[in-house]
Amino acid sequence: SIPPSNSATEFIIQAESMFRNYLKNKEKIFAVAPMMDWTDHHCRFFHRLLTKRALLYTEMVVSDALIHGDIERHLAFSDCEHPVALQLGGSDPMKVAEAARIGADWRYDEINLNVGCPSDRVQSGTFGACLMREPEKVAECVSSMRSAVDIPVTVKCRIGVDDQDPEVALDALAKSVFEAGCDALWVHARKAWLQGLSPKENRDVPPLDYDRVLRLKAAYPHKFIGLNGGLQELNQWVKLLGSVDGIMLGRAAYQNPGLLLDVDRLIYGDTADPLSMDQVCEQMMAYTARHLASGGRVNHVTRHMIGLFQGQPGARRFRQILSVEAYQPKADEQVIARAFEVMEPTRESAVA
């Protein structure tokens, strides 16, 4: 397969400037977390309409799937998604290096190694959160990836797994990966319990420990440490960004994507207005029409949009249209127009 062409010439330096020059520029980073079954390229296109500056992540892609599978199916994306990072799953240094090289060839801005996913499938492949027990192996993977690509290589991890002491486990992982050349460490501020809790429960049941991540940052003042896990409120983001280098939002961004409309102003100080909802509607309709023309279905796109007006009058009907009508056999992009029409009274009253 041939990587997609890019009209933009600056994509190569976008992630470089964020990670390697953040101290000089005093810039913080806001990211939308990699989420299995959620952050596909349709989701990322939608999110990019809401925020021009946030760093977006793919779903985790297993290294073997890139080396032996359909590369285009896993890696194709729209130019507008930059800056966008590819998250890899794997524990074989040679394989993750080859997968990283493929990702770089496809013009991704960053390669991230998953050391946080607790699912049974990931554990059976001896990668994800279980690698918290093997910091040396993670370091080997990072070193191999760094040798293979010229773009930033990062790691996303937990503070520990099972009965590990988070003070010891997180320090050991951070020391190993930074010595191996890791450009950034994103930490989900919870333990993962590999036995006894489902992946869903692992996102909520283990208690959050932001202070543990803040202590790690204090120990590494000149390294990039980003925080993930349980972040919901705008004021919370701003407060925590005073102590860490980046904030990564997961389910909150997916389930209530309207939050992303404030990111460019709040985090990056941009003064330009975000796109209007009419513009978002028009662009999503055009995108969906292209997806239909290539053999796709409306619901592939609209499933990522249903939380856009969360908490607003009319939001329930908006969700119904996108959730039900989009699955009809002859559904087309007009489903999106009908859903947005439901919200017109709410949008008009907000302007008034």
Side-chain angles (χ1 to χ4, degrees), residues 51 99 220 237 291 307:
T51 167
Y220 289 94
W237 307 350
H291 181 57

Side-chain angles (χ1 to χ4, degrees), residues 106 176 267 284:
W106 274 74
S176 294
I267 306 300
M284 290 309 298

Side-chain angles (χ1 to χ4, degrees), residues 176-232:
S176 294
V177 299
F178 283 137
E179 288 179 352
C182 180
D183 291 288
L185 184 62
W186 291 98
V187 185
H188 186 155
R190 285 187 175 94
K191 268 190 171 186
W193 289 94
L194 304 181
Q195 303 296 326
L197 291 181
S198 69
K200 182 177 184 299
E201 290 170 326
N202 262 304
R203 293 192 291 266
D204 291 305
V205 174
L208 286 162
D209 191 352
Y210 293 152
D211 287 343
R212 177 65 192 96
V213 183
L214 301 189
R215 289 194 297 276
L216 181 71
K217 176 58 193 173
Y220 289 94
H222 302 298
K223 298 293 186 182
F224 184 101
I225 306 289
L227 179 66
N228 170 236
L231 301 170
Q232 300 285 340

Side-chain angles (χ1 to χ4, degrees), residues 1 7 42 49 76 107 116 124 130 140 148 167 214 222 243 253 299-300 310:
S1 298
S7 57
H42 306 308
L49 296 181
R107 309 297 193 266
S124 67
C130 63
E140 287 180 39
E167 297 298 327
L214 301 189
H222 302 298
S243 303
N299 63 286
H300 295 165
Q310 186 180 111

Side-chain angles (χ1 to χ4, degrees), residues 283-296:
Q283 294 213 32
M284 290 309 298
M285 287 179 67
Y287 177 86
T288 302
R290 294 193 296 271
H291 181 57
L292 288 169
S294 67

